[in-house]
Amino acid sequence: MGTHIDGVIETYTAGGGWEMEVDLLDFDLWKARYARECLFGYSDGLGLDRPLFDQRGWPEDACEGVPKVSDELSHGHSYATWAEIAAVDWDAPLCDGPDGSLLGEWRPGPDGALAWQGSVYLPDEVLEAAEELFGEYLFPSEWPPGGEVHLNGAVYRPVVLTAGMYVPPDGPWGPVWASMRALAAEYGDENVRLVVWFG
């Protein structure tokens, strides 16, 4: 079945407390495994060194809609204010260097320029082509600077992962950011907060 993401967007009101504004389930994010790892450090498929808002727990003053226990249906809590999210450099590395077991895949887009397709786990045919190209068997993190393999219309390169690769502005999380941005225009950047958990 896998793990699903749940959560709320809450605002800090004039009454002096946090109140739920939006249920994250309304955005149909569901599993989004790599996005949740980039954002909240939940999962280990990418093996990131620095997820953006890494499992901070639940805020003690969170609204009533946030479960303040860890159990099968609510664990791995984290949170971030809109001020923090708006300040993210989505192209900043989340790892200290290229991954040893992942390759980035790029293919020509509609305009002919190479476009990011995602990361892939060491396809054998790519490793064989790399061995022939570089003269020895190397993991992607060992490829020479600028090294890449062209195969079947795709370009494979060692990749230093960023949040923007898995949480693009026009992707599934875009409506979440738009909702938070709109609320921040009314309540202030520090007074809009996303709280998430997994189950």
Side-chain angles (χ1 to χ4, degrees):
M1 288 177 55
T3 301
H4 292 79
I5 188 168
D6 200 348
V8 299
I9 298 171
E10 53 181 11
T11 56
Y12 193 78
T13 66
W18 289 93
E19 294 185 4
M20 177 178 163
E21 292 283 347
V22 183
D23 189 330
L24 200 62
L25 293 179
D26 293 344
F27 296 101
D28 197 27
L29 296 168
W30 292 100
K31 296 183 180 178
R33 176 182 178 192
Y34 293 147
R36 75 182 186 222
E37 184 175 354
C38 289
L39 291 169
F40 310 111
Y42 190 85
S43 184
D44 59 359
L46 298 174
L48 303 176
D49 297 316
R50 292 177 298 279
L52 294 175
F53 312 109
D54 191 7
Q55 296 190 51
R56 296 172 159 184
W58 59 82
E60 292 298 326
D61 59 353
C63 69
E64 291 184 5
V66 176
K68 299 175 183 69
V69 295
S70 289
D71 57 28
E72 185 177 351
L73 296 178
S74 58
H75 53 269
H77 294 71
S78 196
Y79 63 92
T81 65
W82 174 245
E84 292 175 303
I85 294 167
V88 167
D89 178 355
W90 297 96
D91 297 320
L94 299 179
C95 299
D96 293 328
D99 191 275
S101 59
L102 287 173
L103 283 168
E105 179 180 337
W106 284 261
R107 291 184 181 272
D111 61 356
L114 289 176
W116 165 258
Q117 301 298 304
S119 57
V120 293
Y121 282 97
L122 297 177
D124 289 339
E125 58 182 356
V126 176
L127 287 180
E128 291 167 5
E131 184 175 7
E132 184 175 341
L133 180 64
F134 304 131
E136 58 182 324
Y137 184 91
L138 299 172
F139 287 102
S141 57
E142 302 170 320
W143 288 11
E148 60 185 26
V149 170
H150 295 246
L151 189 68
N152 300 328
V155 177
Y156 297 92
R157 300 169 176 156
V159 61
V160 178
L161 301 176
T162 70
M165 291 175 169
Y166 296 97
V167 195
D170 58 349
W173 281 85
V176 178
W177 309 147
S179 179
M180 293 186 74
R181 187 183 300 111
L183 288 167
E186 179 179 354
Y187 292 94
D189 291 1
E190 294 284 357
N191 295 326
V192 176
R193 185 166 64 187
L194 173 66
V195 184
V196 301
W197 57 91
F198 304 91

